[in-house]
Amino acid sequence: LPHPPIYVVGDSHVLSLAWQTLSINENKSDKQTLRTATPFPATGVKAYHLRSTTKFFTHYNFHALLRRLPTHGQRRTIILSAGEIDCREGIGGTLLKGYYRSCNEAVEDTVLKYLGAASEIALEYNLQILIMPVAPHAYRSVKNGKSVGRAKRRETMYLWNKVLRSELQDSKWANVFLLDYEEGLQYPDQTSPTGFVLNPSFNADYTHTNNAIVPLVAEAIQNSGCDFDFL
């Protein structure tokens, strides 16, 4: 690797950063830290799967990846990506069964369980965890059959990131920090229920972002409040 690694663990969105160089300027300092984003994809993992009570393959696979991280017994920082699949297919079905009174409640409950699990994982594996937001889906023409579903999912993603931002702004979750760059991905679109879609500059395949997000992620690390000694 050209620089020391920072491991990016989670769903397929980790590949947006794969093998890219993150140039991080420490706050109140001219010191520049260079890290190679090294992907550890846990295909199909949902944020909800990280709960310790989960009995599903993706949960065990995720922990198998964490045990493979070459931390050499030292506290390390990882970037964690999860939540997009929850927003796309895992939140909403339960509403039909009466488990939640509103989508807002379902999203908030899922995010709280996610952050609780992330905090437990940070303690168990001696990690500092930087949480990636869920990127909004890109624009699809109304002629495309997927446009309606994508518009609804953007609303769920907006709520998801709003709860993440609210919960992590006061650092009440031990060793867990938010990479708060989601607003930098937005592109105004009044046909979307949220008033925005993914900026085309960051679009890879209408669901994933491309590596143009790297500067946004680096800046978000700088502003996250994390401990730079463990980068």
Side-chain angles (χ1 to χ4, degrees):
L1 297 177
H3 309 290
I6 182 168
Y7 303 112
V8 191
V9 186
D11 58 26
S12 58
H13 294 268
V14 305
L15 299 178
S16 300
L17 297 176
W19 313 116
Q20 301 299 304
T21 296
L22 295 172
S23 178
I24 305 159
N25 292 313
E26 297 187 17
N27 290 333
K28 300 178 182 179
S29 170
D30 293 330
K31 181 181 178 182
Q32 187 178 66
T33 299
L34 299 177
R35 291 291 180 267
T36 298
T38 306
F40 274 69
T43 303
V45 71
K46 295 181 180 179
Y48 199 69
H49 291 163
L50 301 191
R51 297 169 303 131
S52 61
T53 56
T54 300
K55 307 295 182 184
F56 195 64
F57 166 75
T58 51
H59 173 86
Y60 299 111
N61 185 44
F62 181 82
H63 281 270
L65 289 176
L66 292 179
R67 288 190 291 271
R68 287 175 51 203
L69 295 180
T71 60
H72 307 295
Q74 299 177 334
R75 189 179 183 199
R76 299 297 296 268
T77 296
I78 68 167
I79 296 174
L80 174 59
S81 177
E84 189 272 331
I85 304 176
D86 301 74
C87 293
R88 174 157 46 91
E89 62 181 40
I91 299 176
T94 52
L95 296 179
L96 303 179
K97 301 176 183 179
Y99 292 133
Y100 296 104
R101 290 186 296 274
S102 69
C103 186
N104 296 49
E105 182 183 346
V107 170
E108 182 174 1
D109 181 69
T110 304
V111 172
L112 292 178
K113 285 183 169 62
Y114 174 39
L115 295 178
S119 188
E120 292 174 359
I121 289 167
L123 180 62
E124 179 179 356
Y125 292 95
N126 196 25
L127 297 171
Q128 175 174 245
I129 297 179
L130 309 181
I131 300 280
M132 293 177 71
V134 174
H137 283 175
Y139 170 80
R140 284 276 196 177
S141 168
V142 292
K143 296 180 181 179
N144 187 295
K146 297 180 179 180
S147 62
V148 175
R150 284 177 174 271
K152 291 293 184 183
R153 288 193 289 272
R154 282 189 213 105
E155 291 184 280
T156 305
M157 293 165 176
Y158 173 77
L159 289 171
W160 181 280
N161 291 322
K162 184 178 179 180
V163 177
L164 274 182
R165 193 173 291 115
S166 174
E167 287 294 319
L168 290 173
Q169 65 181 354
D170 296 325
S171 302
K172 68 180 182 181
W173 299 92
N175 305 309
V176 180
F177 303 86
L178 176 64
L179 298 180
D180 194 6
Y181 61 86
E182 181 264 338
E183 291 182 349
L185 302 176
Q186 298 176 7
Y187 185 82
D189 186 323
Q190 296 308 309
T191 66
S192 171
T194 58
F196 61 83
V197 295
L198 178 66
N199 189 314
S201 299
F202 301 114
N203 180 29
D205 60 3
Y206 295 95
T207 297
H208 298 80
T209 57
N210 57 38
N211 60 21
I213 69 169
V214 168
L216 296 181
V217 174
E219 183 178 6
I221 294 174
Q222 295 166 199
N223 299 327
S224 67
C226 71
D227 191 330
F228 286 88
D229 289 338
F230 301 116
L231 286 179

